[in-house]
Structure formats: C-alpha cells, structure tokens
C-alpha cells in the first residue's frame, strides 16, 4: 500500500517564522503517528515542491519525498488543500491512502474494497450550501443543490480499479479551473474579494460533496475510518427553516469531531490548531509519550 501526504509551500511566505515552525511540528507528529502503522513493503510518500523538500529534510519518517508539485500540470488552486487530489493521478494504477497533515492515527487504517474516507459529515455541506454557497456565483455541477451529505477527506483512498476515482479527479479539475478562470476575469471590487475569500467552499463541494455524490450514484462500497460519526447525535446540523439551516449544535459538533479522539483512536485537528488549545496538547502529549526520543530529536532540528 502507498500512504501519502501533501505539503505545498505556495503560501508559506504569508506566515511568520514561528508559525511555520509550529505548522511543521504538527505535520511531523502527524507523519510520525501514521508511520507507526506501516507494514513491510508499504511506502510512505510526501508530495511536495523543492522548498518543501528543503524544509522537511531527512527528519520526517517518509520512505520517499517527491517534488511533484514543482511541475504541477494544471492551474494551481487557490486553497492548498486542493493539491492533495493530485495523488489520484500520481498513484494511478496503484492502491493508495492520503492523509491531511493535521491527522493523527492511533490505530491501523481499515482495509477497503474501493473507496476509503474519514467520515460521513451528515448534512454539513447542505448547511454550507443553504447559508453560503448559493449566494455566490460559483460554477458548480447542477446536482450540487441536491446533495445532502459529504465525506470528510482528512483521510481518503482508492483502490487501483476504483469505480469513481477518475471521474472524481476529472470533475474536480474541471470545476476548479472554471472558478479560477472566472475569478481572473472578474473586475476588481468587493464582489471579487468575497468570491476569493469564500473560495474554500468551492473545494468543500469538489473534494467532499462530490465524493459522496459519486459514491452514492455508483453504489460504491465506502469504508469509513470513523463510521456512524453522528449516529447518536440527531439533528446536529439544526433544522431547515425559511430556506436556511438554524440552531446548529456546535458544542456537539466539536465534541464529536475533536474531543472524542481517544474513542475513535483518530484525530483530525482542522480548526483546533491553536497551540493554547488543551485538546491539541492532549493529542501531542500522547504521541510524545510514545515516541519521546524521536520527537526530541525533531524538536532540536527545528
């Protein structure tokens, strides 16, 4: 099996030096947690660019680092998370799993028949669509307005003969390019600024909602790292009232997504990256206790 992560430095110049060091430390601990579950013959590959390779050096536990983003053959995305889908093409003809750089693993990744995802996020994309996306002139597939669920791709993977992987990647590229080109053609002004400011919602649809839509349409067997995530939390995304979703239970969302990591043996930080966050400190301490010598060596390096 190929395990992979992606690290683009396109926007690194916008960060302070201390923020880069903190980001690299989170990334390192993520890679370390994943590397513990490699089996004999597995590869663990970082997809990056020249600058990223220099920053990573030899400290991270990858079996291979590739500068594939130097020669990225498509229009570069506005949001760096979108680069991770390039793994679909780079590992064409091979089974692979991709992890975000803020994912922490405390158990082996389950085997899967076709498609692997982190979790079903319930009505989250519907909530975002009704409250935000539909108010912008983004170019998205016609069926977007009817999508009710999305898969979180903090972890995603495909078998080499997956039913949907090619359609997923090609559709993503098509609509990513259409929206980037539309932005380039827009006159300067507030409308253009807001179009870019909320652009991550385009990738929410193209990375997450599209994945769920294609799996459902093609009756793909989907394996979830965190199955039945919201099963015991009915109505977590609120109720649909006057064409908007209201009364979201954010306490439950945060509890389910972040503070239940010991139960799930898995953590995806997402918006919880603040270094004063006790939740993050708990996760880091757990990894530190299990890998004290290795972590100390890395901390000296950065």
């Amino acid at each position: 099996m190929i395990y992979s992560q992606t690290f683009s430095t396109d926007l690194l110049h916008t960060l302070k030096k201390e923020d880069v060091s903190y980001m690299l430390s989170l990334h390192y601990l993520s890679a370390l947690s994943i590397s513990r579950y490699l089996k004999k013959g597995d590869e663990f590959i970082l997809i990056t660019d020249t600058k990223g390779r220099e920053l990573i050096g030899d400290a991270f536990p990858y079996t291979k680092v590739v500068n594939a983003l130097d020669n990225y053959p498509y229009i570069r995305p506005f949001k760096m998370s979108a680069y991770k889908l390039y793994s679909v093409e780079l590992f064409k003809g091979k089974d692979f799993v991709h992890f975000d750089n803020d994912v922490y693993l405390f158990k082996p990744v389950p085997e899967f028949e076709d498609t692997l995802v982190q979790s079903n996020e319930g009505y989250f994309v519907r909530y975002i669509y009704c409250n935000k996306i539909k108010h912008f002139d983004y170019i998205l597939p016609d069926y977007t307005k009817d999508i009710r669920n999305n898969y979180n791709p903090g972890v995603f993977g495909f078998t080499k003969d997956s039913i949907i992987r090619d359609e997923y990647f090609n559709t993503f590229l098509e609509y990513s390019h259409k929206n980037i080109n539309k932005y380039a053609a827009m006159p300067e002004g507030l409308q253009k600024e807001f179009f870019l400011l909320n652009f991550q919602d385009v990738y929410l649809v193209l990375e997450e909602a599209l994945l769920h839509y294609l799996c459902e349409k093609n009756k793909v067997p989907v394996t979830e790292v965190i199955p039945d995530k919201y099963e015991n939390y009915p109505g977590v995304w609120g109720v649909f009232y006057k064409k908007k979703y209201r009364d979201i239970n954010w306490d439950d969302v945060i509890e389910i997504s972040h503070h239940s990591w010991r139960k799930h043996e898995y953590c995806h930080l997402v918006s919880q990256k603040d270094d004063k966050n006790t939740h993050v400190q708990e996760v880091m301490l757990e990894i530190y206790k299990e890998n004290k010598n290795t972590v100390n060596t890395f901390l000296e390096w950065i």
Side-chain angles (χ1 to χ4, degrees), residues 166-214:
D166 289 342
E167 183 178 1
Y168 176 51
F169 182 60
N170 292 333
T171 305
F172 164 81
L173 281 179
E174 177 187 352
Y175 285 93
S176 177
H177 291 173
K178 284 181 177 179
N179 284 283
I180 292 170
N181 289 332
K182 177 170 182 172
Y183 172 80
M186 291 173 72
E188 297 300 324
L190 281 177
Q191 185 179 6
K192 185 171 186 176
E193 289 179 24
F194 281 114
F195 191 91
L196 180 60
L197 182 65
N198 293 279
F199 205 89
Q200 186 60 45
D201 293 333
V202 172
Y203 291 127
L204 167 66
V205 171
L206 298 181
E207 292 174 29
E208 304 190 23
L210 174 64
L211 183 56
H212 189 282
Y213 172 82
L214 292 177

Side-chain angles (χ1 to χ4, degrees), residues 83-96:
Y83 276 123
K84 65 189 177 188
L85 266 68
Y86 190 35
S87 56
V88 174
E89 182 167 292
L90 285 179
F91 305 128
K92 196 173 184 66
K94 298 179 180 179
D95 301 343
F96 80 95

Side-chain angles (χ1 to χ4, degrees), residues 211-245:
L211 183 56
H212 189 282
Y213 172 82
L214 292 177
C215 287
E216 187 173 56
K217 184 183 80 167
N218 293 282
K219 297 181 172 54
V220 171
V222 178
T223 300
E224 298 175 30
V225 176
I226 309 176
D228 303 321
K229 184 176 179 181
Y230 295 106
E231 187 177 49
N232 297 317
Y233 296 83
V236 71
W237 294 115
V239 295
F240 190 64
Y241 177 70
K242 292 187 177 179
K243 299 183 179 180
K244 288 189 176 183
Y245 275 88

Side-chain angles (χ1 to χ4, degrees), residues 48-261:
T48 187
D49 47 42
T50 297
K51 186 173 182 178
R53 190 185 188 106
E54 291 170 356
L55 284 170
I56 294 298
D58 297 321
F60 283 59
Y62 295 112
T63 57
K64 186 187 297 183
V65 177
V66 296
N67 295 15
L69 297 185
D70 283 345
N71 300 306
Y72 183 72
Y74 307 106
I75 301 174
R76 292 192 175 270
F78 288 145
K79 303 296 181 180
M80 299 305 95
S81 65
Y83 276 123
K84 65 189 177 188
L85 266 68
Y86 190 35
S87 56
V88 174
E89 182 167 292
L90 285 179
F91 305 128
K92 196 173 184 66
K94 298 179 180 179
D95 301 343
F96 80 95
V97 175
H98 185 282
F99 300 86
D100 282 3
N101 299 342
D102 58 351
V103 160
Y104 301 89
L105 206 57
F106 298 92
K107 63 181 178 182
V109 173
E111 294 183 1
F112 58 99
E113 296 178 42
D114 185 291
T115 299
L116 175 74
V117 300
Q118 173 189 291
S119 50
N120 187 328
E121 295 301 302
Y123 273 20
F124 178 64
V125 73
R126 185 64 179 161
Y127 160 73
I128 295 295
Y129 179 82
C130 290
N131 288 284
K132 288 180 65 181
I133 294 173
K134 73 176 185 179
H135 301 297
F136 291 89
D137 293 327
Y138 295 126
I139 305 171
L140 295 167
D142 290 339
Y143 48 76
T144 300
K145 65 182 182 301
D146 299 319
I147 295 177
R148 294 293 187 272
N149 298 89
N150 57 293
Y151 285 131
N152 189 312
V155 176
F156 71 92
F158 296 106
T159 57
K160 61 184 177 183
D161 53 358
S162 165
I163 298 169
I164 65 159
R165 64 185 280 171
D166 289 342
E167 183 178 1
Y168 176 51
F169 182 60
N170 292 333
T171 305
F172 164 81
L173 281 179
E174 177 187 352
Y175 285 93
S176 177
H177 291 173
K178 284 181 177 179
N179 284 283
I180 292 170
N181 289 332
K182 177 170 182 172
Y183 172 80
M186 291 173 72
E188 297 300 324
L190 281 177
Q191 185 179 6
K192 185 171 186 176
E193 289 179 24
F194 281 114
F195 191 91
L196 180 60
L197 182 65
N198 293 279
F199 205 89
Q200 186 60 45
D201 293 333
V202 172
Y203 291 127
L204 167 66
V205 171
L206 298 181
E207 292 174 29
E208 304 190 23
L210 174 64
L211 183 56
H212 189 282
Y213 172 82
L214 292 177
C215 287
E216 187 173 56
K217 184 183 80 167
N218 293 282
K219 297 181 172 54
V220 171
V222 178
T223 300
E224 298 175 30
V225 176
I226 309 176
D228 303 321
K229 184 176 179 181
Y230 295 106
E231 187 177 49
N232 297 317
Y233 296 83
V236 71
W237 294 115
V239 295
F240 190 64
Y241 177 70
K242 292 187 177 179
K243 299 183 179 180
K244 288 189 176 183
Y245 275 88
R246 311 282 186 174
D247 302 321
I248 307 305
N249 191 333
W250 288 112
D251 288 340
D252 278 354
V253 172
I254 292 171
E255 173 63 31
I256 298 162
S257 298
H258 303 296
H259 296 287
S260 58
W261 66 272

